[in-house]
Amino acid sequence: MKEIFSIVLVIIGALVGAGFASGQEIFSFFYLYGKNGMYGIIIMGILMGILIYKSLKIIYKNDIYNYEDFLGLYIKNPKIKKTISIIVNILLLISFYIMVAGFGAYFEQEIGINKIVGSIILDFLCVIIFFSNVKGVLKASNFIVPFLIIIIIFIGIQNIFEIRQIKIRQIKNNWLLSTIIYNSYNFILLIPVLISLKKQITREKNIKYISIISSLIILTLSMIIYFLLIRENIKEIQNQEMPVVYIISNYFYNYKKIYSFIILASIFTTAISVGIGFIQNIMCKKISYPHIILFMCITSLIVSNIGFSKLVNLVYPIFGCVGIAQMIIIFL
């Protein structure tokens, strides 16, 4: 069981990043679709579990240790395989940038410190973990993610008991497409992370339990975030970089500092997860490990100036469209 939960915590840490814990992802992909957004979350949780199960099965049975080997099972043309691998590595790198931007955005929105300071702090913490490789990611996730899950569930339970008026307004249609895009972009980022965990899986039968537990946790946390968002009028939160932080400040002020930890921890765990996925993919190109890390950190400070919410709403849907093809491959 220790092995199962250790891997589950890394998976959850990779999924519950800045966009998720801040409410920006749930707001954009589910909340704007009204009650249909709840159906979308349920489908997303089930689909996520199936994708994790099928991906880990493929990785385990075929001894996959990098993303190019994973692609090689389905794509024989070396040029096409290389092109797709480059695209995925770019998306992993951009996701790392988004986490750095989110860390900086929190510092600016909640503390009033220039966002570049927050971005530098996250880069520094990531460097420490990156130099300890996958074991560092496992240790960090196993320490941080349980607190993250417990605190979100605790706030969610209190929120359910305190809700007096439900404010659900549908702004967009095509909720099913939004759900599929959400799953597909998450899986572009998650598969390299799953590949990096291959050595940690000692028994094939554990894959089933890893998938089920991961699915249930992400479904529960997503519903909690959704019900936190319905506490406030959509006009009040649509322009917020981090809508759930805004709601916590208004309705659960006593937990504001605790949720601050949640936001920052979520960003950190996702940053190190997608970061190590990118690094391990690039390492096969015989590029110096320190040089990769230095490149990631310097460029992240430049890109993070674009703004957290702009990056989430612009880049993630693009991720999703690219990832749909990958989902089809996995299901087939």
Side-chain angles (χ1 to χ4, degrees), residues 220-252:
T220 301
L221 298 182
S222 298
M223 279 295 188
I224 287 171
I225 298 294
Y226 181 91
F227 278 98
L228 281 170
L229 290 172
I230 67 176
R231 289 291 297 258
E232 190 57 85
N233 189 292
I234 192 169
K235 291 181 180 179
E236 295 294 326
I237 57 176
Q238 63 182 355
N239 294 320
Q240 294 291 328
E241 290 269 343
M242 298 188 166
V244 168
V245 176
Y246 177 80
I247 288 167
I248 294 289
S249 298
N250 286 346
Y251 295 97
F252 303 96

Side-chain angles (χ1 to χ4, degrees), residues 121-320:
I121 291 171
L122 180 61
D123 275 336
F124 177 74
L125 293 173
C126 286
V127 167
I128 295 172
I129 298 298
F130 289 155
F131 276 105
S132 61
N133 216 307
V134 176
K135 288 183 179 179
V137 176
L138 285 168
K139 286 180 181 179
S141 295
N142 290 345
F143 178 74
I144 294 171
V145 177
F147 291 105
L148 186 154
I149 294 169
I150 291 167
I151 294 169
I152 291 180
I153 290 174
F154 177 78
I155 293 174
I157 292 170
Q158 183 161 335
N159 180 52
I160 293 296
F161 284 115
E162 290 187 6
I163 288 178
R164 296 289 179 268
Q165 183 180 359
I166 296 178
K167 307 168 184 177
I168 301 179
R169 182 183 171 192
Q170 184 171 337
I171 304 297
K172 292 184 177 181
N173 297 311
N174 299 322
W175 61 274
L176 187 57
L177 177 61
S178 181
T179 300
I180 293 170
I181 289 174
Y182 182 81
N183 271 95
S184 61
Y185 91 69
N186 268 295
F187 243 79
I188 281 185
L189 306 175
L190 192 56
I191 283 185
V193 176
L194 296 178
I195 291 170
S196 73
L197 294 171
K198 198 273 176 185
K199 291 181 181 179
Q200 315 304 321
I201 302 173
T202 58
R203 292 186 292 180
E204 187 176 352
K205 69 176 185 179
N206 287 344
I207 292 174
K208 178 175 68 176
Y209 302 111
I210 290 167
S211 307
I212 292 171
I213 295 169
S214 299
S215 175
L216 290 174
I217 291 174
I218 198 65
L219 174 57
T220 301
L221 298 182
S222 298
M223 279 295 188
I224 287 171
I225 298 294
Y226 181 91
F227 278 98
L228 281 170
L229 290 172
I230 67 176
R231 289 291 297 258
E232 190 57 85
N233 189 292
I234 192 169
K235 291 181 180 179
E236 295 294 326
I237 57 176
Q238 63 182 355
N239 294 320
Q240 294 291 328
E241 290 269 343
M242 298 188 166
V244 168
V245 176
Y246 177 80
I247 288 167
I248 294 289
S249 298
N250 286 346
Y251 295 97
F252 303 96
Y253 188 78
N254 291 335
Y255 302 120
K256 184 178 178 180
K257 290 183 179 179
I258 296 175
Y259 206 78
S260 297
F261 168 78
I262 291 296
I263 292 290
L264 298 177
S266 299
I267 296 169
F268 178 55
T269 56
T270 300
I272 59 176
S273 295
V274 298
I276 203 70
F278 172 77
I279 290 169
Q280 291 208 329
N281 283 348
I282 295 297
M283 280 300 291
C284 63
K285 307 298 181 186
K286 298 181 181 180
I287 303 173
S288 161
Y289 196 88
H291 287 167
I292 296 171
I293 295 172
L294 184 64
F295 168 78
M296 289 171 66
C297 293
I298 292 175
T299 52
S300 69
L301 296 178
I302 299 169
V303 177
S304 64
N305 282 314
I306 295 172
F308 170 63
S309 60
K310 286 182 181 178
L311 283 169
V312 169
N313 290 300
L314 174 65
V315 176
Y316 280 6
I318 297 173
F319 282 18

